[in-house]
Amino acid sequence: KRGNISQWTNDSGYVTAASKGSWYPSAVQTISGGGTVGTRTTLSLNTASITAVGMSIGSSIVTIEEEMTALVSMNFASTNAAGPNRTLAAAVVQYRAGSGEEWVDLQGTQTYNYDRGTATSSGASSWGFVYRGSGGASVLNDLGSSSQLRVQFWIEGRASSSSGISSVIAGCRLSITEIK
């Protein structure tokens, strides 16, 4: 490219990413059986894979220091925490415009994980089971200065009140990439 063309960024000839941040949990979190379906738990994101300038994390909440357009990506994986009963887990990225504002679900980031447990029929010893589920979502979003992001997860439904869920460390991550 040559000349002063405003659509080109950093003389690269294409849009480039500027800041990146990525975090994951260091320990398994469990929602025990017997609790209320739909009660949300904040995912602990206490390990940084990448921490970018302009982003910080504290108490599993990522703070965006300067306004940006960003690709927000979330992966969530879970497994049944009790015996193999059918369980549907859900997770979502939440956004808050600033401290004291209300948390809202970031549209397009809700995911579901299904653990169907074991099943038998007509003499078959087992139909098998799906013991872990995972899902992910990525959305472009404008993030304001001093805004915050977090990931919450919960049990959406289950076959037995004794069924619980546990996060799978290797399958959980929140990543934010600024788009310039």
Side-chain angles (χ1 to χ4, degrees):
K1 105 172 169 74
R2 294 193 188 273
N4 186 8
I5 301 173
S6 62
Q7 70 191 38
W8 304 73
T9 302
N10 299 332
D11 290 327
S12 64
Y14 53 89
V15 175
T16 59
S19 295
K20 298 178 182 178
S22 189
W23 301 269
Y24 58 93
S26 64
V28 171
Q29 287 178 259
T30 299
I31 297 175
S32 299
T36 304
V37 169
T39 299
R40 293 182 176 196
T41 299
T42 300
L43 184 65
S44 175
L45 298 168
N46 56 4
T47 305
S49 176
I50 300 169
T51 301
V53 173
M55 297 178 209
S56 60
I57 191 160
S59 301
S60 298
I61 296 172
V62 176
T63 300
I64 306 300
E65 294 164 7
E66 296 181 15
E67 184 176 321
M68 70 174 72
T69 298
L71 178 65
V72 178
S73 301
M74 180 267 296
N75 294 346
F76 179 74
S78 63
T79 187
N80 200 303
N85 292 307
R86 291 179 300 280
T87 306
L88 182 63
V92 70
V93 176
Q94 288 194 312
Y95 176 78
R96 179 163 69 175
S99 183
E101 298 290 322
E102 184 177 332
W103 287 100
V104 295
D105 293 350
L106 191 59
Q107 186 176 0
T109 63
Q110 190 161 325
T111 63
Y112 293 96
N113 301 335
Y114 179 58
D115 174 357
R116 77 171 182 88
T118 58
T120 60
S121 175
S122 306
S125 61
S126 175
W127 289 351
F129 61 95
V130 176
Y131 67 98
R132 288 185 178 173
S134 65
S138 294
V139 297
L140 280 172
N141 207 74
D142 287 328
L143 306 174
S145 64
S146 300
S147 62
Q148 298 176 321
L149 296 167
R150 69 181 181 186
V151 175
Q152 291 209 308
F153 70 103
W154 64 95
I155 297 172
E156 182 72 19
R158 58 186 171 208
S160 164
S161 63
S162 65
S163 298
I165 61 170
S166 292
S167 61
V168 177
I169 295 170
C172 297
R173 184 177 291 254
L174 175 65
S175 298
I176 302 165
T177 305
E178 180 182 10
I179 305 298
K180 285 195 171 192

